[in-house]
Amino acid sequence: MLGFFLVVFAALLLAGGLYWRWRRKIAEEVAEGAEIEWAHFQKTEPEFLEGISEEKFREIYARVHTPRFPAYVLATFATFFLSLPVTFAILTGLLWAGQATGVVPQPVEMVQYVNLGDARVAESWQCGPECQLYIAEAFSGFYYFFGVIVAWLVIVWFFMRRYHKRRPGYLRDEIIRSREG
């Protein structure tokens, strides 16, 4: 498991480095676009930019025109893998509590008491009692599988909600909004 996390951590560092380089390039392009747009507004609609400094305009322009999706994807994937140990710990605790309280059946109970029509599970499986216990214990993987999926869905929900909630408007709208605020 440690090897898996080291590989994932290295991949996340590589992705973060690539994102940082891409972000620098995009920031240069956005700064160039802001300069052109500032000159255009000064020439055609100087009264619209009244009360807005060039620095504030560059900040607004960057907020509107800088792509946000790659940062959210990187943050989502990093959270996926960094949350795995916590997710597994929570799922293990829930499984232990469920087995201790009797909500989740013990593997022996599963083998002995589950009926499949006319035959019992113990009679229908083509292996001995020890093998049947291993198969029944493997059913706990079901809880882990769907528990991890639920945790990842919560992470995606959180980041997508934040992404859409913080979405900027058009440049004109943001300039007007900055004047009001």
Side-chain angles (χ1 to χ4, degrees):
M1 189 68 143
L2 181 62
F4 170 76
F5 280 108
L6 289 175
V7 168
V8 167
F9 187 70
L12 286 174
L13 281 177
L14 176 65
L18 291 172
Y19 171 74
W20 178 74
R21 286 187 62 206
W22 174 82
R23 178 78 180 213
R24 252 187 2 183
K25 183 177 179 257
I26 292 295
E28 291 170 5
E29 291 175 6
V30 167
E32 182 181 326
E35 186 178 313
I36 293 168
E37 197 72 25
W38 173 261
H40 173 72
F41 272 121
Q42 287 296 333
K43 190 163 113 178
T44 59
E45 301 178 71
E47 68 280 348
F48 181 67
L49 293 178
E50 207 169 280
I52 303 274
S53 67
E54 188 173 355
E55 295 296 321
K56 183 70 173 170
F57 179 80
R58 287 176 185 266
E59 186 181 304
I60 294 168
Y61 188 88
R63 184 173 60 237
V64 171
H65 290 287
T66 302
R68 300 174 312 124
F69 187 72
Y72 279 90
V73 168
L74 187 61
T76 301
F77 278 114
T79 307
F80 277 169
F81 292 107
L82 295 177
S83 71
L84 276 177
V86 175
T87 303
F88 286 146
I90 290 170
L91 291 173
T92 300
L94 289 173
L95 188 61
W96 176 83
Q99 288 176 344
T101 58
V103 174
V104 177
Q106 294 292 328
V108 174
E109 293 171 343
M110 235 189 272
V111 171
Q112 289 178 347
Y113 299 115
V114 175
N115 290 322
L116 296 175
D118 295 335
R120 294 182 133 188
V121 172
E123 297 163 2
S124 67
W125 287 346
Q126 301 295 320
C127 59
E130 193 171 298
C131 172
Q132 294 170 9
L133 283 176
Y134 283 130
I135 292 171
E137 283 178 351
F139 285 148
S140 67
F142 167 84
Y143 302 117
Y144 285 99
F145 175 74
F146 285 105
V148 168
I149 287 177
V150 166
W152 284 3
L153 286 174
V154 167
I155 291 168
V156 168
W157 169 81
F158 171 77
F159 280 108
M160 288 299 100
R161 183 170 181 257
R162 185 176 169 98
Y163 176 82
H164 289 292
K165 198 177 232 184
R166 300 175 114 206
R167 179 183 58 221
Y170 294 114
L171 182 61
R172 288 186 166 278
D173 298 337
E174 290 298 315
I175 290 171
I176 293 168
R177 199 172 295 145
S178 72
R179 255 193 247 133
E180 294 170 355

